[in-house]
Amino acid sequence: LSVRQQFGFAYCLFNIGGANLKIKAQTRLVSTSRFAVIEPSADMATTTREERAQAAAMRSTSGDQGGENLDTINSVEIDMSLQKYVLIRAGNRHLVRGTSSAIYHKDAAGPCVAQLRSLGIDYNVLGGGRIAVEPDKKTMLVYGFSYGFPWENGISKHDVAAKLLNQKYPDWTINTSDEGY
């Protein structure tokens, strides 16, 4: 951990798994038993109004179509690193999608939403957060929230995501937390 200043803003630089992570000083680090998570200050939305509108436009379709095509879709698709993730309800199933390359949660949801739309399957992006994956320890932490896809009534469904992750990775330890961003 090092604290530096760039362009008049202080930031902390973390090295996690060989990758540098830069965090603005308005955030604070919250440590859990095995992970450190990042918690923004109350006035620090990381998405613009336009980006939140784009996420809202892709949040759901309505009706009851395409359920027979759901068998072709994996329940879990994630990267083996720190990533943004979304939980999607499609028909009577839940889907977890995460990617370390996502700048915004809509980027994590995008490919799955496009696939569901192309198959005519109705869906709802229930919310999002982050998944911290430590492959060498076989541990995951599902935590946080999404400005683009906020959880209904502010209540996360990380437990649903953790259950799906546990089905795909049965010999891993998977924890959840509502702390952090």
Side-chain angles (χ1 to χ4, degrees):
L1 167 67
S2 64
V3 178
R4 299 183 183 173
Q5 191 162 345
Q6 181 179 30
F7 306 117
F9 295 98
Y11 67 90
C12 298
L13 185 63
F14 298 87
N15 187 292
I16 301 173
N20 286 328
L21 177 64
K22 193 189 302 187
I23 310 299
K24 289 183 181 177
Q26 299 114 297
T27 63
R28 69 183 178 99
L29 194 63
V30 178
S31 293
T32 64
S33 60
R34 298 191 91 166
F35 297 90
V37 297
I38 301 157
E39 183 174 277
S41 63
D43 62 345
M44 192 183 144
T46 59
T47 56
T48 66
R49 189 174 301 153
E50 177 182 316
E51 290 155 347
R52 287 190 295 273
Q54 290 170 351
M58 67 187 315
R59 184 155 194 144
S60 67
T61 58
S62 60
D64 188 22
Q65 298 177 9
E68 64 279 356
N69 295 326
L70 268 172
D71 294 338
T72 64
I73 298 175
N74 295 325
S75 294
V76 174
E77 291 183 10
I78 63 168
D79 291 340
M80 288 289 111
S81 59
L82 179 64
Q83 63 208 277
K84 292 187 177 186
Y85 96 94
V86 292
L87 179 65
I88 302 170
R89 180 182 297 129
N92 61 355
R93 290 184 53 201
H94 287 94
L95 311 173
V96 174
R97 293 298 184 268
T99 180
S100 57
S101 64
I103 296 172
Y104 303 108
H105 286 89
K106 69 179 182 67
D107 301 326
C112 185
V113 163
Q115 181 183 22
L116 292 169
R117 285 181 175 175
S118 73
L119 294 171
I121 299 172
D122 291 322
Y123 67 90
N124 185 14
V125 181
L126 300 175
R130 287 182 172 56
I131 302 174
V133 180
E134 291 186 299
D136 54 326
K137 297 179 182 176
K138 291 190 171 187
T139 60
M140 292 185 204
L141 176 66
V142 183
Y143 68 96
F145 62 93
S146 165
Y147 286 107
F149 298 112
W151 297 103
E152 187 176 312
N153 300 320
I155 301 169
S156 76
K157 293 185 173 32
H158 297 318
D159 58 324
V160 175
K163 182 179 178 184
L164 291 169
L165 290 164
N166 228 354
Q167 289 171 0
K168 183 164 183 174
Y169 303 98
D171 56 337
W172 286 53
T173 300
I174 301 170
N175 295 303
T176 63
S177 173
D178 287 329
E179 299 297 318
Y181 171 70

